[in-house]
Amino acid sequence: MKRFSQLFQQVDATTSTNEKVRALRQYFYDEIPENAVWAIYLFLGKTRKRLITSRVLRDVFLQISDIPEWLFEDCYAHVGDSAETIALLLRHSPLESQEKVDRPLHEWMEKVIPQVKTVQSEGELRDLVVSWWASLEDTEIFVLNKVLTGAFRVGVSEKLLVKALSAEYNLPESVLAHRLMGDFEPSINFYRQLIQTDNEELAPSQPYPFFLASPLDEDRFQEEEPARWQAEWKWDGIRAQIIKRADEVFIWSRGEDLITQQFPELVEGFQLLPNGHVVDGEILCWEGDRPMNFNALQKRLGRKSVTKKLLAENPVHFIAYDLLEHNSQDIREKPLLERRNLLAELLTSLSTSLTTVSTSLSFSSFADLQELRERSRQQGAEGLVIKAKDSPYRVGRKRGYWWKYKVNPMSLDAVLIYAQAGTGKRANLFTDYTFALWHNGELVSFAKAYSGLDNDEINELDKWIRRHTIEKFGPVRSVEPIQVFEIGFEGITESKRHKSGISVRFPRILRWRKDKPVEEIDTLQTAFELLKTIEQSN
């Protein structure tokens, strides 16, 4: 645990990619496989299961500490993270002296931490957690707390991890990225398979790394020859791979969640495919010839089983984009047009209306492309994806092959009414904002946004919030309703869960409207009129 915590400190303390890779590579060089594989598992965010809530850890700390609850809450408001707050306070209020024990990381993950599942009472849980804290240094306590709460995150992307492993073991990054896809058992055997140079047969459920489009550079793209490119509608669903191997169907989301159980009708349809095929595409809830709102799809997610009622009310459709594996052969290096021809031929064997190949849209000029984009909302899409016809299927975002060309976001002018401190490096700044619209002479909250301001604007607004706070509700501050912002979003729907009666998708700040008084912000009626317009255009 000590060595892993040191690595955590090294990668967390720098913004340099090279320094992070160097630290990771040295760790894999020094560490035994039993620990190295767990480090990979943690860095990839595979341990998302919460064993203990942050609230329970906080209560345990307050039971053994002389620090009053109000002071803990004040510290938390500055730090922005319970796990880190406890670790920092324990540094200055150490527990009863106990010999520090440096157990190996794999022992913590496989034997020590699982003891949480066996405790019979709150007292036993408290004693167990306190004994762990007493045996660790402060950084190790922080790491342990994050693992226990299922919130271990660090500034190491999968790309950096793959780069370090590639450099250390002289393996192609694309091979390692593929081997790390999906879930895996963090065992010595897996680690050896991961770093071996010989080809090894993949597990039947193993997906491929997804290829992602980059935002279009309009000036650069206007110099391209249109005949080399094709466009497709960019749908607002779940990117997924459907795999047919070993007489089984597996469905993986782009977030590496196995979502097979949520879509039994797709499983049934793809059972007709021959073994050895992997199709990349988008899952949407679909009605007639159009996609339903994303909220309908959300009702299917996160469920262990899907009822007949849910299947009927939220029917799904799979739009196939690409073919990655054909007759058990990886064909990602073949040109896009060749892969799509094989895909179209393959899907003719499926006697199901739940799957179609994405429509290929041609254009002869950049003006034609812009016109296509403007028609996106009429199709129920959020823009275009533009792909080079000769492009291979790469890993992650590789500029120059695929571009996304989204429609301009919808927007409303709203006023800031609440603010809350951020987390991590922004824990000392107010960066989480709630915005409101007018309704019958009152301000009604309609959206929260966390992004869109630059650092100078964040610092300026933070100072203003501190000077113009009206009330405090724990970490939340109510502020004078003066500052107006243009809020952009990708979609808008009716919602019974929100006081405003609407829900917006992916809200973000487009600009700070210092030129506009609060009396002139938009109304809730304007938002519903926008919703009605969108529904009519669909």
Side-chain angles (χ1 to χ4, degrees), residues 15 76 196 215 256 262 316 345 437 449 511 528:
T15 58
Y76 170 79
Q196 69 178 5
E256 296 188 42
Q262 284 95 314
V316 296
E345 181 181 343
L437 304 172
R511 56 176 172 152
F528 275 102

Side-chain angles (χ1 to χ4, degrees), residues 47 90 138 166 172 175 191 226 235 292 294 320 340 365 378 389 415 429-431 526 535:
T47 53
L90 285 173
D138 53 341
S166 174
V175 171
Y191 191 74
W235 301 106
M292 297 170 67
F294 186 82
R340 279 180 60 89
S365 67
Q378 297 173 13
K389 296 177 181 178
V415 66
L429 294 169
F430 286 96
T431 58
T526 305
E535 290 177 340

Side-chain angles (χ1 to χ4, degrees), residues 189-208:
N189 185 51
F190 172 81
Y191 191 74
R192 287 172 179 164
Q193 290 178 353
L194 175 67
I195 63 176
Q196 69 178 5
T197 55
D198 299 332
N199 289 328
E200 182 76 12
E201 186 177 349
L202 297 173
S205 65
Q206 184 97 38
Y208 290 94

